Amino acid sequence: MGKAVIVSFEDSVIKVVYASAKGGNVAVTDTLILNDEQFDNFLLREKTNQFIVTHSFKDFFQEVFFIPPVKDKYVESLIEAEIKRKAPFSTFSFIHTDLGEKVVDGKKMREVFVFAVRNDEINGIVNRFIQRDKVVKAFYPDIFVIASMMDLKDKSVLGVIEAGLNKTLFLVSKGNICFVRTVQSLEHGLGDLDIQNINMTVNYCWQSLKIGPSIVMLTEHLCRNYNATMSAAAPIACLTQRYISAKSEVAHDYTAPVSAVLVPASGRANLLMKEYKRFFQARQLLVYSSFLFLISSFIGAGYAAYSTSKIGEMKKRLISARKTLPGIEGIITAYDSKNEELNRYAPYLALINSSASIPDLQGFLYLLSKLNMDSVQLVSISVTPGERVLHSELKGSVKSDSYGDAQRDYQLLVDRIGKLKGVAVTDHSLDLIKKEFQIKADFNDL
């Protein structure tokens, strides 16, 4: 990754870490702690253009879903439909982790953990960077970057982090988060009420998820501010970040931002919406394009000055050569006359050429009529003539009852269309929920 600046929003506190990563090791060079009023001024003064953001979400939706074992490209659509049905969010972004396959009511199902948050909360933070002409490379929930540091092989861990008076408890099993809850505390640090909440969470994991945390992992100053007298249902330890080159208080007090350095921006924990990713990429492209245009302008100006002098010399030579050619004016006049006569027939020639270059529409429709698939219904066929090709778009629906049969019949239709003589499928998609499809194909029999 090289050098990076990570900003962590944790309740009313904003932590900033300057770090660099090389060979899996992290070196922290500087840290800052800001309040909300100081943050905009920090962005104005900061020369760094790109940032990584972590955030402690208070309002979120989490649940384990069971979905049919469909292809990976349809998983997010099914999950999104389930979140819309169950979560109180109108617009949202989500992370999901695959927990494996299970048999539910005699059917093989795919078990996934889903963590969703409101887009408004992400937009409010990202827009502050945009207003100061800054780029957000990645936006992570703090629990996911911290969970990536809890490498305890096959052991299950209950992580505990603090943001203000809230404690977030999250269960990590086989490297994946599979349960999250937030509880409110009466004081900073870890007291008896927090131990009760931890024990209740451990019991819930045992009874509902059939996963028993073998250790409770505390983070940051919870380790130094431990005031509980009760015993926890599992051994308690403190998260120590390996591969960190910094003072011990930095490693303990900046767990989320330091952990984010080693998380790839392209990974599944990145909540940054596609619209923002495209916006930042386009803006970076404009910056690079402007720089290249400036360089090209300087080169072009120099070349133009050089060419101007050469053009002057060539013009003098042409004038001199023209004077030495006898009867050149008559030849030019005859050429212009013949060219004007030919131009009168140009529209007719163009019409003949264009009609001959369009493939046979009836032949194409005849080929489609031979498909003969009872399980598929074509609703509409639109055809647009192009340069020596017919562009077509077929819309319809699949009559099959199950997702698996619908996927099979749809793929069979695509394969059969692609095998028709002169037909090439250029794009196709299937809405597995509505069982509606769209296929684009080009036909050329010339």
Side-chain angles (χ1 to χ4, degrees):
M1 176 183 286
K3 295 182 179 180
V5 181
I6 307 94
V7 180
S8 181
F9 292 83
E10 304 175 12
D11 196 53
S12 59
V13 174
I14 301 174
K15 298 177 181 179
V16 181
V17 169
Y18 296 81
S20 60
K22 184 178 181 181
N25 296 315
V26 178
V28 177
T29 56
D30 197 8
T31 59
L32 292 173
I33 294 182
L34 309 170
N35 58 37
D36 192 69
E37 291 76 16
Q38 296 171 325
F39 181 66
D40 291 326
N41 289 330
F42 160 77
L43 289 179
L44 280 175
R45 298 192 309 269
E46 177 58 46
K47 295 181 180 179
T48 302
N49 184 51
Q50 298 189 0
F51 297 82
I52 297 171
V53 175
T54 67
H55 183 52
S56 179
F57 289 94
K58 296 179 182 178
D59 185 18
F60 57 84
F61 171 83
Q62 67 89 37
E63 193 169 324
V64 174
F65 290 156
F66 291 96
I67 61 174
V70 297
K71 291 185 177 181
D72 291 341
K73 62 181 179 180
Y74 300 118
V75 169
E76 290 196 358
S77 298
L78 292 176
I79 292 175
E80 186 175 355
E82 286 294 313
I83 296 175
K84 287 180 179 179
R85 191 168 63 88
K86 294 185 178 182
F89 301 157
S90 56
T91 59
F92 54 86
S93 297
F94 65 92
I95 299 169
H96 74 278
T97 54
D98 197 331
L99 303 181
E101 292 187 344
K102 282 190 175 181
V103 177
V104 180
D105 296 331
K107 296 181 180 179
K108 184 183 291 185
M109 304 292 283
R110 192 169 178 176
E111 186 179 22
V112 293
F113 170 77
V114 177
F115 180 87
V117 297
R118 299 180 189 274
N119 282 344
D120 292 344
E121 194 165 355
I122 299 174
N123 296 341
I125 294 175
V126 175
N127 286 335
R128 297 179 73 174
F129 288 87
I130 293 176
Q131 290 170 2
R132 303 303 179 188
D133 292 327
K134 304 297 184 182
V135 175
V136 177
K137 293 176 60 178
F139 196 112
Y140 300 122
D142 55 354
I143 57 174
F144 280 84
V145 295
I146 293 174
S148 66
M149 297 295 106
M150 295 180 176
D151 184 12
L152 295 178
K153 297 182 180 179
D154 295 331
K155 293 184 178 180
S156 298
V157 182
L158 183 67
V160 185
I161 62 175
E162 182 179 59
L165 290 177
N166 290 318
K167 306 290 190 302
T168 300
L169 292 77
F170 54 98
L171 178 65
V172 182
S173 179
K174 298 180 181 179
N176 294 319
I177 292 181
C178 50
F179 176 73
V180 184
R181 70 179 295 218
T182 298
V183 295
Q184 193 169 13
S185 183
L186 299 176
E187 58 185 351
H188 292 287
L190 205 71
D192 285 340
L193 177 61
D194 301 310
I195 294 296
Q196 290 179 10
N197 287 323
I198 289 173
N199 290 343
M200 290 172 60
T201 304
V202 171
N203 291 334
Y204 173 83
C205 293
W206 271 111
Q207 295 174 8
S208 299
L209 304 177
K210 310 303 180 185
I211 300 174
S214 58
I215 189 170
V216 176
M217 192 75 74
L218 306 181
T219 62
E220 297 191 348
H221 53 275
L222 288 177
C223 296
R224 301 193 300 272
N225 194 5
Y226 190 99
N227 304 312
T229 58
M230 293 181 59
S231 298
I236 292 179
C238 292
L239 176 64
T240 58
Q241 292 182 310
R242 300 170 294 166
Y243 321 117
I244 305 298
S245 174
K247 296 180 180 179
S248 59
E249 59 268 20
V250 170
H252 284 297
D253 294 343
Y254 296 82
T255 304
V258 171
S259 300
V261 179
L262 294 175
V263 178
S266 59
R268 63 188 180 188
N270 188 0
L271 277 173
L272 196 64
M273 290 170 280
K274 294 179 181 179
E275 292 78 8
Y276 280 126
K277 291 179 181 178
R278 287 194 289 265
F279 170 76
F280 289 131
Q281 289 172 355
R283 194 168 71 173
Q284 288 296 104
L285 181 61
L286 286 175
V287 171
Y288 295 143
S289 299
S290 300
F291 179 72
L292 291 175
F293 177 76
L294 186 61
I295 294 177
S296 301
S297 298
F298 282 115
I299 296 174
Y303 181 74
Y306 170 78
S307 298
T308 301
S309 62
K310 290 294 183 182
I311 290 172
E313 294 179 9
M314 291 296 296
K315 189 174 182 180
K316 291 179 181 179
R317 293 181 183 178
L318 288 173
I319 293 173
S320 176
R322 186 173 182 178
K323 290 179 179 179
T324 61
L325 291 174
I328 189 68
E329 290 82 1
I331 295 173
I332 293 175
T333 301
Y335 169 79
D336 290 340
S337 176
K338 293 295 183 181
N339 189 51
E340 184 178 351
E341 184 178 351
L342 178 63
N343 286 337
R344 286 190 299 223
Y345 299 98
Y348 303 102
L349 294 173
L351 179 61
I352 293 172
N353 290 334
S354 63
S355 61
S357 64
I358 299 176
D360 181 16
L361 175 59
Q362 292 182 350
F364 175 57
L365 295 177
Y366 173 72
L367 289 176
L368 292 180
S369 67
K370 295 169 63 179
L371 291 176
N372 190 24
M373 288 187 65
D374 296 333
S375 60
V376 176
Q377 179 180 4
L378 288 177
V379 177
S380 66
I381 301 174
S382 60
V383 180
T384 305
E387 185 66 27
R388 302 180 67 83
V389 69
L390 290 178
H391 302 293
S392 67
E393 183 177 11
L394 287 72
K395 294 183 179 180
S397 61
V398 185
K399 301 178 182 178
S400 306
D401 295 329
S402 67
Y403 291 125
D405 291 343
Q407 169 66 28
R408 182 201 62 205
D409 294 340
Y410 161 72
Q411 190 60 51
L412 181 60
L413 174 64
V414 173
D415 294 340
R416 288 187 177 180
I417 293 175
K419 292 179 180 179
L420 295 177
K421 184 178 179 181
V423 179
V425 176
T426 59
D427 191 17
H428 62 92
S429 62
L430 170 66
D431 187 332
L432 201 57
I433 304 299
K434 299 180 180 180
K435 297 182 182 177
E436 296 177 352
F437 63 83
Q438 177 178 320
I439 302 173
K440 294 182 179 180
D442 290 346
F443 174 65
N444 186 350
D445 64 344
L446 300 177

